């Protein structure tokens, strides 16, 4: 906590930012409001057709409003601009109601991530929480509207996988199609991970918009990847995911759903351990003064082994217990902090 308040702003009402002052600069506030309205409104239009780009634009507008200290009524106008943009976007793409509902989810995601990024309060934990909620929302929207249309969502997915295999047969030959059919059961379990990847890309886009709006922050130490440390929940999620995937058969009729959730958890949390493993490698490079050429060679080999044997992710998982960098000596596990 800073002097005089949580962020110390009440001690410095005329604190400078990269764009405008906090305080009574009405002309600056008006320009900031117009900028935030334009980015948020146009981003909401783009969300209905290009969700990742739209999320980045909305997050920029939201973060811009926060960084420049706009009042709550003015932030409410930014939210109204998002609503108007969604309606205009729905008319632009001539989409169904599902497009509008997904747009609401994307704008909410951009608002949350952009606000956290602007205030430097984002962590890996918050990012994963937002991505998980958005992933569940996307799935619920698609399956819910399919049910309203009298369709079975699972059957639609099965048909899509079968069509993809047939297309592969016509493009790459029957041998490739036969290999894909032999792993069709696995493809039937991977579809939730596709939703999570989309949610994760939107979270990253929100971070990018918040980063651009925030600009350089004097006096604030940047987060360094070498300090990344896997939080406790990542191991819990990994163990739960492996258990669901391995023993999902005990759920009877819901076995496939349980296994799909378990596999999604394992694949999603793998990125946490991948970042941890990369942080360990970077720490080792710095500690032993490894030159650029050897760093490049080691990273190339590590990336190749990661694709086939998940070596870097396993290194990050081992670091959870081994604590190679001695980051948790005497102060407990604080988790991964930073953006």
């Amino acid at each position: 906590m800073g002097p005089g308040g949580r962020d110390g702003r009440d001690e410095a009402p005329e604190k400078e930012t990269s764009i405008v002052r906090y305080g009574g600069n009405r002309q600056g506030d008006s320009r900031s409001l117009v900028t935030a309205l334009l980015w948020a409104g146009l981003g909401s239009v783009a969300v209905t057709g290009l969700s990742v780009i739209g999320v980045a634009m909305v997050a920029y507008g939201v973060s811009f409003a926060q960084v420049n200290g706009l009042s709550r009524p003015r932030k409410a106008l930014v939210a109204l601009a998002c609503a108007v943009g969604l309606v205009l976007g729905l008319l632009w793409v001539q989409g169904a109601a599902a497009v509008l509902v997904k747009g609401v989810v994307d704008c909410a995601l951009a608002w949350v991530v952009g606000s956290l990024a602007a205030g430097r309060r984002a962590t890996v934990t918050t990012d994963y929480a937002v991505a998980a909620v958005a992933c569940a929302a996307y799935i619920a929207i698609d399956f819910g509207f399919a049910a309203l249309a009298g369709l079975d969502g699972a059957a639609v997915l099965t048909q899509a996988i079968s069509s993809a295999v047939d297309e592969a047969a016509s493009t790459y030959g029957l041998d490739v199609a036969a290999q894909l059919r032999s792993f069709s059961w696995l493809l039937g379990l991977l579809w939730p991970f596709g939703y999570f990847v989309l949610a994760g890309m939107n979270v990253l886009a929100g971070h990018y918009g918040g980063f651009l709006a925030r600009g350089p922050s004097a006096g604030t130490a940047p987060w360094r990847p070498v300090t990344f440390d896997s939080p406790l929940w990542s191991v819990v999620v990994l163990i739960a995911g492996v258990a669901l995937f391995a023993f999902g058969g005990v759920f009877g009729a819901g076995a496939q759903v349980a296994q799909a959730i378990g596999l999604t958890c394992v694949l999603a949390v793998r990125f946490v351990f991948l970042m941890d493993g990369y942080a360990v490698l970077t720490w080792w490079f710095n500690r032993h003064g490894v030159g650029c050429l050897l760093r490049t060679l080691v990273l190339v080999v590590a990336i190749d082994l990661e694709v086939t044997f998940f070596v870097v992710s396993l290194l990050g998982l081992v670091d959870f217990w081994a604590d190679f960098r001695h980051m948790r000596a005497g102060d407990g596990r604080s988790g991964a902090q930073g953006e």
Side-chain angles (χ1 to χ4, degrees), residues 51 134 156 201 203 232 242 252:
S51 63
V156 172
M201 291 176 61
V203 168
L232 176 61
V242 171

Side-chain angles (χ1 to χ4, degrees), residues 64-217:
F64 196 90
Q66 182 169 331
V67 168
N68 289 276
L70 295 185
S71 62
R72 288 186 178 180
R74 292 176 181 244
K75 290 181 180 178
L77 291 178
V78 177
L80 179 61
C82 289
V84 174
L86 285 175
V87 175
L88 293 177
L90 182 65
L91 298 175
W92 172 45
V93 299
Q94 297 180 351
V99 175
L100 180 62
V101 178
K102 280 188 175 181
V104 172
V105 173
D106 288 336
C107 285
L109 181 152
W111 196 283
V112 172
V113 176
S115 298
L116 291 173
R120 287 188 177 273
R121 300 188 305 273
T123 66
V124 170
T125 300
T126 59
D127 287 347
Y128 263 79
V130 172
V133 172
C135 174
Y138 294 153
I139 294 174
I141 291 169
D142 282 350
F143 275 69
F145 278 94
L148 290 176
L151 301 174
D152 183 354
V156 172
L157 285 171
T158 302
Q159 180 61 38
I161 293 173
S162 178
S163 300
V165 171
D166 293 339
E167 183 177 353
S170 61
T171 305
Y172 301 105
L174 296 177
D175 291 339
V176 174
Q179 293 177 5
L180 289 176
R181 286 193 179 94
S182 64
F183 290 99
S184 59
W185 65 273
L186 182 59
L187 296 176
L189 300 178
L190 283 172
W191 61 266
F193 183 64
Y195 284 96
F196 183 84
V197 170
L198 175 60
M201 291 176 61
N202 284 336
V203 168
L204 291 177
H207 268 289
Y208 182 68
F211 171 77
L212 291 179
R214 186 181 66 218
S217 300

Side-chain angles (χ1 to χ4, degrees), residues 16-21 25-39 60-61 64-65 68 70 74 78:
E16 294 282 355
T17 68
S18 59
I19 300 170
V20 72
R21 293 181 177 181
N25 189 340
R26 293 185 177 180
Q27 184 178 5
D29 283 350
S30 299
R31 289 199 297 267
S32 299
L33 175 61
V34 172
T35 301
L37 289 174
L38 285 175
W39 281 99
Y60 180 86
F64 196 90
N68 289 276
L70 295 185
R74 292 176 181 244
V78 177

